[in-house]
Amino acid sequence: MKIGNREFKGRTYIMGILNVTPDSFSDGGRYNSIDRALKRVEEMIDEGADIIDIGGESTRPGYTQISAAEETERVVPVIERISAEFDIPISADTYKSAVAEEAAKAGANMLNDIWGFKQDSKMADIAVKYGLPVCLMHNRREPVYTDLIKEVIEDMEQSIGIGLKAGMKKENIVIDPGIGFGKTYEQNLEIINRLEEFNTLGCPLLLGTSRKSVIGLTLDLPPEERTEGTIATSVMAVLKGAGFVRVHDVRANKRAVLMTEKIIGIY
């Protein structure tokens, strides 16, 4: 698929996380000024990031929802500056169509919707209007399943269907099984272990586990000490055929991905 002016195919790419929020679970407040955000983008590009994913509202467990206006105020100036100063695709991490539209106008090349088009019905229309690829994440209000993988795939098929009905091309859709969203600890582990089953959906797959509670609970570590656990999941992503991993620690995960790809003959 093409994101911005770059082609993505045949290997696992690194999406670097930039939270311009005061309250994200791992790095809240660290990059909520334009200068610090730009410095972090420069670092992530040097470390090997292929895409920068910018979020203006924390989605940690128990997060406080903010207005579209406040979220727009946080992300648009940063997107504008990154677009002007760096040659790298920009993803806007939002589930609100009003924010998505302003992000697109500011220079975002991709949308990343944690509700998979199911929270705001206009998100798909914005993606079509601006010709943007979208990452559709799986989410549920409650982690209640009879057959976990089957039901998550069915939910994702619904999200893809919303996009196609709005006029999106399937080759512009990335899917994310939503580690840490609407799932128990055990369910998160099962999804990572069975990640290859999501390839049946026919869309590139993104795995986002970076510093999340599934790692913290496994290793009994706080967010800032979960790099090695994240690396393990990135290696799994490569082995399972994922096209993208979304991470905070770009350099470490990039090296692990490249090494794994070399071993299995991709890179």
Side-chain angles (χ1 to χ4, degrees):
M1 68 190 313
K2 189 172 185 180
I3 305 173
N5 61 2
R6 299 192 187 181
E7 294 283 346
F8 293 81
K9 59 181 180 180
R11 48 170 304 218
T12 304
Y13 295 91
I14 306 292
M15 177 182 278
I17 299 169
L18 180 67
N19 289 316
V20 288
T21 61
D23 56 346
S24 289
F25 81 97
S26 177
D27 53 4
R30 293 187 65 184
Y31 308 115
N32 61 341
S33 79
I34 291 181
D35 288 342
R36 287 199 297 269
L38 293 174
K39 178 64 175 176
R40 181 60 188 144
V41 170
E42 184 177 27
E43 291 171 352
M44 287 194 287
I45 291 173
D46 289 343
E47 292 171 359
D50 300 294
I51 306 173
I52 303 296
D53 189 49
I54 302 172
E57 178 180 274
S58 172
T59 54
R60 77 194 195 288
Y63 74 96
T64 301
Q65 185 173 340
I66 62 173
S67 68
E70 184 175 355
E71 188 178 341
T72 298
E73 188 176 317
R74 289 179 182 180
V75 301
V76 164
V78 178
I79 292 172
E80 287 175 339
R81 288 287 299 275
I82 295 172
S83 180
E85 298 184 25
F86 300 99
D87 179 24
I88 190 166
I90 301 167
S91 167
D93 181 2
T94 186
Y95 56 89
K96 303 184 184 90
S97 60
V99 179
E101 180 152 31
E102 294 306 314
K105 291 177 182 177
N109 310 110
M110 181 179 189
L111 301 176
N112 184 8
D113 183 350
I114 67 164
W115 282 104
F117 286 158
K118 295 181 179 181
Q119 180 79 358
D120 185 335
S121 61
K122 297 179 181 178
M123 280 290 290
D125 297 327
I126 296 300
V128 172
K129 179 179 178 179
Y130 292 92
L132 300 182
V134 177
C135 179
L136 301 176
M137 197 192 80
H138 178 266
N139 209 337
R140 278 192 181 184
R141 300 290 180 187
E142 299 292 337
V144 179
Y145 305 86
T146 301
D147 187 332
L148 176 66
I149 303 300
K150 179 176 180 288
E151 291 178 43
V152 173
I153 287 175
E154 288 172 350
D155 287 353
M156 301 246 61
E157 287 174 337
Q158 293 172 5
S159 290
I160 292 168
I162 294 169
L164 297 179
K165 186 176 180 180
M168 287 197 73
K169 296 178 180 179
K170 194 171 184 180
E171 56 263 33
N172 284 334
I173 297 175
V174 175
I175 57 168
D176 174 354
I179 299 299
F181 290 82
K183 298 164 190 75
T184 65
Y185 169 72
E186 292 80 11
Q187 289 166 349
N188 286 319
L189 290 175
E190 182 177 353
I191 286 174
I192 296 169
N193 186 43
R194 299 173 63 184
L195 200 61
E196 74 280 3
E197 296 182 41
F198 293 92
N199 290 320
T200 60
L201 287 165
C203 298
L205 178 63
L206 180 147
L207 182 65
T209 62
S210 189
R211 302 181 185 174
K212 287 185 177 178
S213 62
V214 65
I215 296 168
L217 290 170
T218 300
L219 303 178
D220 190 24
L221 292 171
E224 65 273 12
E225 294 183 31
R226 297 175 187 173
T227 302
E228 296 89 350
T230 302
I231 289 170
T233 65
S234 291
V235 170
M236 290 290 287
V238 177
L239 296 176
K240 301 287 188 176
F244 301 89
V245 290
R246 180 180 179 274
V247 299
H248 297 85
D249 302 292
V250 171
R251 177 180 285 114
N253 283 277
K254 180 80 169 188
R255 289 174 175 173
V257 164
L258 291 175
M259 189 68 208
T260 308
E261 288 179 334
K262 190 68 173 179
I263 292 168
I264 65 176
I266 291 178
Y267 184 70

